Amino acid sequence: MPPVRPVKDTLPPPSTRFIGRFLVLKELGKGSQGVVYLAQDSQLQRNVAIKTLRIQPNATERQAMLLQEARAVSRLSHPNIIPIYEVGELDGSPYLVFEFIEGTSLKQYMKQNGPLPIARCLSMMDQILAGIGHAHANKILHGDLSPHNIMVDRAGNPRIMDFGVSRMIGSRQDASLGMWGSLIYMSPEHFDNSPLTEKSDIFALGLILFEMLIQQPVIQETNEFAIINAIANHPIDPPSLRNPDLDKNIDVIVMRALERKSSARYENATAMRKAIEGYFQIEQKKEEEEKENVPINKQGAMDFLLRRMRFKTDFPALSHHIMEINKRAIRPDQTSTADLTNLILKDYGLTSKLLKLVNSPLYRRSSTKITTVSRAVSLLGFEQVRMAALSVVLMEHIKNGQQREELRDGVISGFFNAVLCKDVAERMRFSDPEEAFICAMFHNLGRLLTIYYFPEEYGEIRDLIERKGASEATAYNSVIGLTTKEIGQGISKAWQFPESILQSMDILPEGKIGKPNNDAEMLKIFANFAREFNEATICDDEIRNEKLRYVANRFGTFLSISSKDVDELVTAAVQNVRRFSEAVNMRLEGSQYFKKLQHAAEMITAGLETGENLEEGTQNSEEGENVSSTPTAIQVPSVPILSEEASIERMLQDSIEEISNTLLEEYDLNQILMTILETIYRGFGFSHVLFLVLDKNREAVHVRFGFGSEIEEIRRGMRISLRNKPDIFTLAITKRQDIIIADIDDKAYAGLIPNWFRVLIPARSVVIYPIFVNNNPIGLIYADHNRSGMLDANNPLTLLKTLRNQAVMAIRQKVSH
């Protein structure tokens, strides 16, 4: 193996930093067709994207065709097409100059946003069809449509790029078949020597729309001949079979675009756009009819609400996020802990807010700063972090809706209920106070989601309550056909919350509350107590004590609450609401609810005498022996929270210090290794970071856990036999050599980058550090960037080595014991 070289500059050599008149700023990406650079037009002072193209050897005629067709494409002008500004040649190789679009590919957009609403999918496809229709009208086929060459700009608009580029440069999957482009998005006529027409682009768009609706490619085969056979010979099932939220009308739109015979497809892009417009008209008419005749059947009403919510731009993404977090609760062992951490890390905002929250006195259990999600799980527990993540996701999502003030008050009130409930559960020595926390927070979920997603209906409900004196249940039933409890339970069920949380949304009957028979009943009592205590706390001064006394008496069978307890509960809850609001960047100023809460806390503190029992004349019940009269909350000193703007090196140094301190204590090896990997992943901005271990026979290495996208696929596909011919992985283990590769296409590494690796992981820069303990190989730490040249002098790799050494130390200490 050649020695590891100094990191190469990703720009062209100094003599060619200009491509024509364009100053190259940086490399944006590299693929089979060529390299894409961000550059600046020295004349017009604007940024552009330049694509240098790889032409087949001795392809003079093809190059001439490229320039001719590129000039034809440059005449296209449409808001959904990324225009070619000009074409040129540099050192005998052609290049294309495009408008520079800040955004991401449709493929990445789908990964980042989870399931897209049906309306969003169809709306985006309508825009794409508009652009394709414009090109077809100018006698230009695309020929290589896929989610990879459709960009989504910052405004969320799709922009088509690379018109005819694959055909221009002769990029073929199989020269004998005369194909170009992305194989899994090709039409049947690519494979039977039929002429390609605009209907071939329509077929590709049918596959793309299908993929947007089901969140995975339609053609799942990986072998080239299997792909060709699937497209040319096998029928494609309707999308509703893979996504039950889709109806037959969606099937009709998609499946006509995917007819095997081109004559049966839409005549053109305009015809497919009219089909989409017709679908929207049908849905709008259906919604208007349903709104006029709200179903009396409860299930029908719930289905109606869920259907309307799915058409909202953000609801499917919110649902996907919450369901993904809930899935991690099924088996909270080491594997699901890594999955939960990886899920949180995919969302930078959630990661930042969660770390702020767990570093606040609300969650802190020691003076140790928590710098990673993995460490938070280790210190606080799986459930604590999962519940904190759920609370941040929901509250962050709905705090800025159309009814902003009411939503903000609802969010604050929900969190007051949650921290109050958790405090009481801890006093009662309840086995799972985190679940009590989430039960109380989601107790009023139905009301919050109504305010957010149905502001008009909520206005009618509020009018019935305020002007006509209707009860909340009556008003909701009259307008929507469901109570807030039924809405909350229906949506929670769709979000796969456990049954205990659904049951906790039940409203308890009037009168004294009896002894609970199980934990589920206890959670219901906790959630109801928190809500009623909250409502009593913010009452007017003259009736507050009476209301609090009523709540204490009602729940007094198993709760004994003194005036001192009331003071402590309210004061602690108000403080914790402040801390939560700071963590999720929610302003409390102007909140009428929080003003009432603060005033109530001041009045309670000033007006109640120590030791006075609000539940006058009530004796402690036989369950009273389980109640602690002193709060169990641990007071810890305030510790500065790591700011979002902290430098990479500062974050790494803090994490290294935290890991070093942990190694001096008793620790779980898997947890500490995950913390080290997460620090590498976040601190260096890698695309993937993996920990690979040798098997028992020391003949192969496989992935133990890791962070980044498509981790499950990588974990299944990355099993490396040490009996293979030498490659970068086997050499790292057998030669005990650190490997740092700035560009895997560097000729110095020809033959050392396995083909399976190139297919499995879209990596351009790679770091591999072997792990040896007592001179015995244990495994590897692997990391990659999806762009070349990402390993430079500004990236503190010495700290990466320090983290590798900490992993060695952690393993050695456990082995020696």
Side-chain angles (χ1 to χ4, degrees):
M1 177 179 177
V4 176
R5 298 180 173 183
V7 177
K8 299 196 306 181
D9 196 322
T10 58
L11 303 179
S15 61
T16 58
R17 284 185 183 274
F18 276 89
I19 298 179
R21 70 172 189 273
F22 303 97
L23 173 64
V24 175
L25 301 177
K26 66 177 181 178
E27 181 183 313
L28 293 175
K30 182 182 294 185
S32 60
Q33 297 175 348
V35 183
V36 180
Y37 297 103
L38 173 64
Q40 187 178 60
D41 188 329
S42 59
Q43 290 183 4
L44 300 178
Q45 295 298 305
R46 65 181 177 184
N47 285 347
V48 296
I50 297 182
K51 188 166 194 171
T52 61
L53 300 175
R54 297 188 180 118
I55 295 293
Q56 294 176 346
N58 305 317
T60 305
E61 291 184 8
R62 190 169 297 285
Q63 185 163 326
M65 183 186 77
L66 160 70
L67 297 175
Q68 180 182 350
E69 294 205 28
R71 290 185 180 109
V73 172
S74 69
R75 293 194 291 270
L76 295 178
S77 177
H78 191 276
N80 296 111
I81 294 176
I82 298 177
I84 297 178
Y85 287 149
E86 58 183 270
V87 296
E89 292 183 63
L90 178 68
D91 298 332
S93 295
Y95 65 84
L96 308 176
V97 182
F98 296 90
E99 176 187 356
F100 173 63
I101 300 295
E102 290 192 37
T104 184
S105 70
L106 177 59
K107 190 73 172 180
Q108 283 299 115
Y109 183 82
M110 288 190 284
K111 285 185 179 180
Q112 292 168 2
N113 291 277
L116 301 175
I118 297 170
R120 176 66 174 147
C121 294
L122 294 177
S123 176
M124 291 181 76
M125 182 52 62
D126 181 68
Q127 290 179 274
I128 296 168
L129 285 163
I132 288 295
H134 174 75
H136 291 172
N138 284 274
K139 309 301 182 185
I140 294 175
L141 300 182
H142 190 288
D144 187 21
L145 284 165
S146 77
H148 295 282
N149 53 33
I150 297 174
M151 296 289 291
V152 181
D153 63 24
R154 283 190 168 184
N157 299 311
R159 308 284 300 276
I160 311 163
M161 62 187 293
D162 283 357
F163 269 89
V165 168
S166 292
R167 184 173 71 256
M168 294 174 195
I169 66 176
S171 171
R172 298 165 182 250
Q173 298 293 338
D174 186 316
S176 66
L177 294 173
M179 297 181 293
W180 61 80
S182 303
L183 198 60
I184 65 171
Y185 298 99
M186 289 183 182
S187 64
E189 50 266 32
H190 278 84
F191 314 126
D192 61 10
N193 292 322
S194 299
L196 300 184
T197 68
E198 59 190 39
K199 293 187 177 184
S200 303
D201 281 348
I202 294 293
F203 188 89
L205 291 180
L207 291 172
I208 293 169
L209 177 57
F210 200 132
E211 183 171 338
M212 293 168 70
L213 292 165
I214 68 170
Q215 285 294 296
Q216 57 180 306
V218 182
I219 307 302
Q220 293 290 313
E221 284 78 5
T222 55
N223 175 274
E224 289 187 3
F225 291 100
I227 294 172
I228 294 170
N229 185 46
I231 294 175
N233 302 314
H234 293 176
I236 297 174
D237 292 327
S240 63
L241 294 183
R242 301 202 209 178
N243 182 352
D245 290 338
L246 304 176
D247 58 32
K248 299 301 180 184
N249 292 327
I250 291 287
D251 287 344
V252 170
I253 294 173
V254 175
M255 298 311 293
R256 184 172 178 188
L258 296 179
E259 289 284 356
R260 186 173 292 118
K261 292 184 178 179
S262 62
S263 59
R265 294 176 211 148
Y266 293 104
E267 188 64 27
N268 48 42
T270 301
M272 189 169 175
R273 291 187 71 193
K274 286 182 178 179
I276 290 174
E277 181 183 352
Y279 176 84
F280 278 123
Q281 290 174 349
I282 291 172
E283 288 301 307
Q284 184 177 0
K285 183 177 180 181
K286 187 189 301 182
E287 183 173 321
E288 290 172 355
E289 291 174 352
E290 287 180 329
K291 189 174 179 180
E292 291 176 2
N293 304 288
V294 177
I296 297 175
N297 176 271
K298 295 289 187 181
Q299 186 57 50
M302 191 68 243
D303 292 343
F304 167 64
L305 288 183
L306 282 171
R307 186 161 58 250
R308 285 182 64 188
M309 288 171 129
R310 290 190 188 107
F311 269 87
K312 303 292 183 179
T313 303
D314 54 353
F315 185 74
L318 170 67
S319 298
H320 174 76
H321 213 158
I322 289 179
M323 285 191 287
E324 284 297 304
I325 293 173
N326 276 334
K327 285 179 184 177
R328 272 63 187 178
I330 298 173
R331 190 170 61 89
D333 55 13
Q334 295 299 333
T335 301
S336 60
T337 296
D339 291 343
L340 174 64
T341 303
N342 197 40
L343 178 66
I344 292 170
L345 290 175
K346 288 179 182 178
D347 186 332
Y348 176 81
L350 174 59
T351 301
S352 175
K353 292 179 175 66
L354 183 68
L355 289 176
K356 283 186 177 181
L357 189 60
V358 299
N359 274 291
S360 72
L362 175 61
Y363 282 92
R364 293 290 291 273
R365 292 295 181 266
S366 72
S367 59
T368 303
K369 184 190 302 182
I370 301 174
T371 61
T372 63
V373 178
S374 303
R375 184 64 175 154
V377 173
S378 176
L379 288 177
L380 302 176
F382 178 90
E383 279 303 303
Q384 186 91 306
V385 173
R386 187 178 76 90
M387 296 304 182
L390 279 172
S391 66
V392 173
V393 167
L394 179 69
M395 299 312 176
E396 179 68 12
H397 176 80
I398 66 176
K399 72 180 184 184
N400 294 318
Q402 184 175 334
Q403 303 286 339
R404 187 167 299 177
E405 296 304 318
E406 290 202 54
L407 275 172
R408 181 174 58 176
D409 284 355
V411 169
I412 298 168
S413 177
F415 197 74
F416 178 91
N417 289 349
V419 294
L420 182 71
C421 191
K422 184 169 180 278
D423 195 347
V424 173
E426 288 174 341
R427 290 166 179 259
M428 293 287 297
R429 306 290 196 270
F430 184 64
S431 60
D432 197 349
E434 285 74 36
E435 192 168 8
F437 175 96
I438 211 71
C439 284
M441 173 165 282
F442 282 74
H443 191 67
N444 286 326
L445 178 65
R447 180 173 178 272
L448 284 175
L449 294 179
T450 302
I451 298 172
Y452 186 86
Y453 286 105
F454 309 109
E456 293 181 5
E457 286 83 351
Y458 182 72
E460 296 177 33
I461 291 169
R462 189 173 56 185
D463 185 69
L464 286 175
I465 294 172
E466 294 177 354
R467 297 192 179 186
K468 299 184 180 180
S471 67
E472 183 178 79
T474 300
Y476 266 84
N477 263 315
S478 175
V479 175
I480 294 180
L482 296 165
T483 64
T484 56
K485 180 202 81 170
E486 290 165 338
I487 296 171
Q489 288 179 330
I491 293 172
S492 295
K493 187 175 182 179
W495 284 349
Q496 300 178 16
F497 275 104
E499 188 64 29
S500 57
I501 293 181
L502 270 66
Q503 291 179 18
S504 72
M505 295 180 183
D506 290 340
I507 306 300
L508 294 175
E510 294 292 329
K512 269 192 170 280
I513 303 303
K515 178 181 177 181
N517 296 314
N518 50 50
D519 283 354
E521 289 186 9
M522 179 70 89
L523 288 168
K524 184 192 302 185
I525 292 173
F526 282 148
N528 275 269
F529 167 76
R531 175 181 54 81
E532 293 184 30
F533 187 94
N534 185 345
E535 292 170 354
T537 300
I538 60 172
C539 282
D540 293 337
D541 292 347
E542 56 270 19
I543 61 172
R544 181 180 302 107
N545 283 356
E546 179 185 345
K547 293 288 187 181
L548 287 170
R549 186 176 294 113
Y550 170 79
V551 173
N553 187 59
R554 173 167 152 79
F555 291 87
T557 302
F558 65 99
L559 290 178
S560 178
I561 302 177
S562 68
S563 54
K564 180 182 178 183
D565 294 328
V566 170
D567 188 1
E568 290 172 347
L569 287 170
V570 174
T571 301
V574 170
Q575 290 175 346
N576 287 329
V577 166
R578 280 192 178 280
R579 291 160 182 160
F580 176 79
S581 300
E582 290 172 0
V584 298
N585 298 325
M586 181 169 60
R587 295 172 62 87
L588 293 176
E589 294 80 1
S591 167
Q592 295 303 311
Y593 167 79
F594 192 70
K595 287 180 180 177
K596 289 182 180 179
L597 202 58
Q598 279 186 305
H599 173 73
E602 293 168 1
M603 295 299 293
I604 290 171
T605 300
L608 293 176
E609 296 179 2
T610 302
E612 177 189 352
N613 195 314
L614 290 174
E615 187 192 1
E616 295 176 345
T618 301
Q619 301 295 320
N620 287 348
S621 66
E622 60 184 1
E623 292 81 19
E625 61 189 15
N626 294 323
V627 181
S628 171
S629 61
T630 58
T632 60
I634 300 174
Q635 300 297 320
V636 297
S638 178
V639 178
I641 299 171
L642 186 65
S643 69
E644 292 182 14
E645 295 77 20
S647 67
I648 292 176
E649 191 160 355
R650 169 68 187 279
M651 180 267 177
L652 288 166
Q653 293 282 11
D654 285 347
S655 294
I656 288 170
E657 180 181 352
E658 178 186 2
I659 294 165
S660 297
N661 291 334
T662 305
L663 291 174
L664 299 176
E665 308 165 354
E666 184 61 33
Y667 59 86
D668 178 276
L669 181 58
N670 281 325
Q671 289 285 1
I672 200 71
L673 291 175
M674 278 193 286
T675 299
I676 290 169
L677 255 63
E678 183 188 338
T679 300
I680 296 172
Y681 178 68
R682 290 179 57 222
F684 293 87
F686 283 116
S687 301
H688 301 94
V689 177
L690 310 170
F691 187 76
L692 297 94
V693 296
L694 276 166
D695 62 13
K696 293 181 179 179
N697 298 324
R698 297 184 175 273
E699 295 180 348
V701 292
H702 63 274
V703 179
R704 180 70 172 272
F705 42 69
F707 299 114
S709 60
E710 313 294 343
I711 284 295
E712 279 305 312
E713 289 79 359
I714 292 172
R715 185 185 292 165
R716 288 194 295 267
M718 198 169 183
R719 184 175 179 85
I720 306 159
S721 173
L722 298 182
R723 294 181 176 180
N724 291 343
K725 67 177 183 178
D727 59 31
I728 54 175
F729 297 97
T730 58
L731 288 172
I733 284 282
T734 58
K735 301 296 184 182
R736 196 171 179 173
Q737 185 170 357
D738 295 347
I739 295 177
I740 302 173
I741 301 176
D743 186 348
I744 65 170
D745 288 336
D746 190 322
K747 292 180 180 179
Y749 303 100
L752 292 174
I753 309 296
N755 290 331
W756 64 262
F757 173 75
R758 293 180 182 274
V759 173
L760 184 64
I761 304 178
R764 310 304 304 177
S765 304
V766 171
V767 176
I768 304 175
Y769 281 165
I771 302 291
F772 276 71
V773 174
N774 300 329
N775 292 319
N776 294 315
I778 300 296
L780 302 167
I781 289 179
Y782 162 93
D784 69 55
H785 283 294
N786 58 14
R787 297 203 302 271
S788 60
M790 293 301 292
L791 306 172
D792 55 40
N794 296 321
N795 214 335
L797 292 179
T798 54
L799 296 181
L800 200 160
K801 286 189 176 182
T802 300
L803 287 159
R804 185 265 302 271
N805 294 338
Q806 287 185 320
V808 171
M809 185 182 301
I811 298 171
R812 181 185 293 125
Q813 289 182 181
K814 287 296 181 181
V815 170
S816 64
H817 290 165

